[in-house]
Amino acid sequence: MRGVAERPAYVVMQPTTLCNLDCAYCYLPLRAANRRMSVPVAEAVAAAANGWAAEGRFSVVWHGGEPLAAGRAHLAALMAPFDPAVEHHVQTNATLVDDRWCAFFADHDMRVSVSVDGPRAHNAARVDRGGRPAYDRIAAGVAALRRHGVAFSALCVVSDPAPEAAAALYGYFLDLGCDVLGINIEEQEGVNARANAHDPARVRAFWAALTAAWRRDPRVHLREVEWTLRYAAAVLDGTEDALLPRQFDPVPTVAHDGGVVLLSPELAGFTDPRYGDFSSGNVLRTPLPAILAAATDTGWVREFLRGVEGCRAGCDYFGFCGGAHAANRYFEIGRFDGTVTNHCQNSKIRLLEGVLDHVDAHERDR
Ligand code: SF4
């Protein structure tokens, strides 16, 4: 991992800043405002994305706010400039999903990822602006997806990584019918200032228990655990150096107004006296490939790359982690050139240790 690649694997686009929910842990600063992306912004992104998709796999991830709050007609207008070779993904809270949205997903060959935090009691943070729980609306949206045979993945925020709850959590997602599950231990970032420091032994035991539950019935792809096992297998084969990409994917996030923030979507919409608005350019004025070619002209990006070198020099987990995410450093320690964060302890270090604990226990029991 050295430097930032000029060709991304995907671009994140914000069709609207608006979200119809107001989750307690949300990092988005403008989620009560409906600032919609214009079609010229989408056309500017498509000019680059269509070329990348002609060379190999390339995706657009529609992210919000809540992307479905933009409405079907507007989302269709934003998707129209993209060639059929471009894959479309949407990250949604599912509360607006109904029969018409399911038809839209099928018509546009859109891959759906639902944000849901497990059984009802785990979704207490997920409320609307009136403070009303969103769980029943999320469940109704998922039921619509299942009724229409729309495959979906799930993204689960875990606020309390309790080992004793891990098996039931995984069981919930088996019943939900998702094909892929991503687990995010709650992060302290954006406007979410809730502390994310946990007892290390407890987090480690959580990942071990989750791995054990998955091994008993691995019908759902469990993103973090499968990646960790792939890494462990590569270490045993001596091929781990080939596993991480050579450079950071720039992950360009294109905001509603065409502004581009690199590496961490969570920085979009924020300003800082030292770093300004974190933007590396605007697609309405500069082609996206030119913005990416000049990635290291952005001061905070250079500072982040220095932090990654600090990780390489000082962290035993670097080969697995690769330096984690810029936004976690900024929101936890106020800079990009620090190294250890609560996020990387929860979701990188303890993850690797917990999965290996499970493997050890399994070997002992054989
Ligand atoms: S685990 Fe933390 S300190 Fe280690 S490489 Fe990752 S981000 Fe850096």
Side-chain angles (χ1 to χ4, degrees):
M1 284 287 216
R2 288 186 203 274
V4 181
E6 292 191 15
R7 185 208 190 276
Y10 63 100
V11 59
V12 179
M13 296 185 68
Q14 185 180 47
T16 174
T17 56
L18 180 68
C19 186
N20 57 325
L21 297 186
D22 193 23
C23 300
Y25 54 59
C26 183
Y27 63 86
L28 291 163
L30 296 173
R31 60 186 187 268
N34 188 9
R35 301 191 190 163
R36 297 208 303 179
M37 178 175 278
S38 68
V39 171
V41 169
E43 288 170 342
V45 176
N50 292 342
W52 288 321
E55 295 165 0
R57 200 169 170 194
F58 190 81
S59 305
V60 172
V61 179
W62 299 94
H63 208 297
E66 165 53 45
L68 306 194
R72 277 181 297 280
H74 190 59
L75 198 54
L78 296 176
M79 293 171 70
F82 292 91
D83 287 347
V86 175
E87 293 179 14
H88 291 276
H89 300 245
V90 64
Q91 184 66 45
T92 175
N93 63 35
T95 58
L96 300 173
V97 173
D98 59 10
D99 294 345
R100 288 170 300 175
W101 271 112
C102 290
F104 182 96
F105 298 145
D107 289 348
H108 292 81
D109 197 17
M110 216 166 184
R111 292 151 177 81
V112 179
S113 176
V114 173
S115 301
V116 56
D117 297 343
R120 178 187 298 275
H122 293 229
N123 286 268
R126 314 212 62 201
V127 294
D128 64 18
R129 248 172 226 97
R132 291 177 290 269
Y135 183 77
D136 286 340
R137 282 170 277 173
I138 296 169
V142 170
L145 292 171
R146 294 187 61 157
R147 210 166 46 242
H148 287 268
V150 177
F152 63 98
S153 56
L155 193 57
C156 169
V157 173
V158 174
S159 300
D160 176 17
E164 58 278 12
L169 186 67
Y170 180 70
Y172 171 86
F173 287 100
L174 277 174
D175 293 344
L176 193 71
C178 58
D179 47 18
V180 180
L181 171 61
I183 298 285
N184 281 359
I185 295 188
E186 184 178 335
E187 300 170 36
Q188 182 187 328
E189 61 185 4
V191 295
N192 178 25
R194 299 187 345 169
N196 64 336
H198 299 286
D199 172 15
R202 198 168 141 79
V203 181
R204 184 170 171 162
F206 168 78
W207 286 117
L210 198 62
T211 307
W214 172 76
R215 292 268 331 274
R216 286 193 290 273
D217 190 350
R219 272 178 293 150
V220 174
H221 287 291
L222 185 51
R223 189 182 61 180
E224 287 73 18
V225 168
E226 291 187 32
W227 163 253
T228 305
L229 290 171
R230 204 172 310 140
Y231 174 77
V235 169
L236 292 175
D237 288 349
T239 57
E240 75 275 19
D241 203 37
L243 211 57
L244 284 178
R246 300 285 94 187
Q247 294 180 298
F248 277 94
D249 190 303
V251 192
T253 295
V254 182
H256 65 99
D257 60 357
V260 177
V261 170
L262 302 179
L263 296 169
S264 276
E266 299 84 359
L267 294 167
F270 287 87
T271 56
D272 178 281
R274 286 183 63 219
Y275 307 110
D277 65 359
F278 300 99
S279 166
S280 293
N282 189 300
V283 294
L284 294 176
R285 293 188 285 279
T286 310
L288 187 53
I291 293 173
L292 299 180
T296 53
D297 289 355
T298 302
W300 75 258
V301 173
R302 289 196 302 276
E303 188 176 292
F304 171 65
L305 294 176
R306 285 199 298 278
V308 172
E309 291 310 307
C311 287
R312 188 195 310 280
C315 179
D316 291 341
Y317 296 77
F318 182 77
F320 171 66
C321 164
H325 305 296
N328 299 107
R329 295 169 193 242
Y330 173 71
F331 288 116
E332 284 196 33
I333 52 188
R335 301 185 57 86
F336 293 95
D337 52 5
T339 54
V340 183
T341 59
N342 289 328
H343 165 73
C344 78
Q345 298 202 57
N346 293 334
S347 300
K348 302 289 183 183
I349 295 172
R350 304 304 161 222
L351 165 64
L352 180 57
E353 293 173 344
V355 172
L356 294 182
D357 284 349
H358 168 76
V359 173
D360 276 351
H362 180 72
E363 287 301 309
R364 275 198 305 275
D365 291 347
R366 269 155 54 116

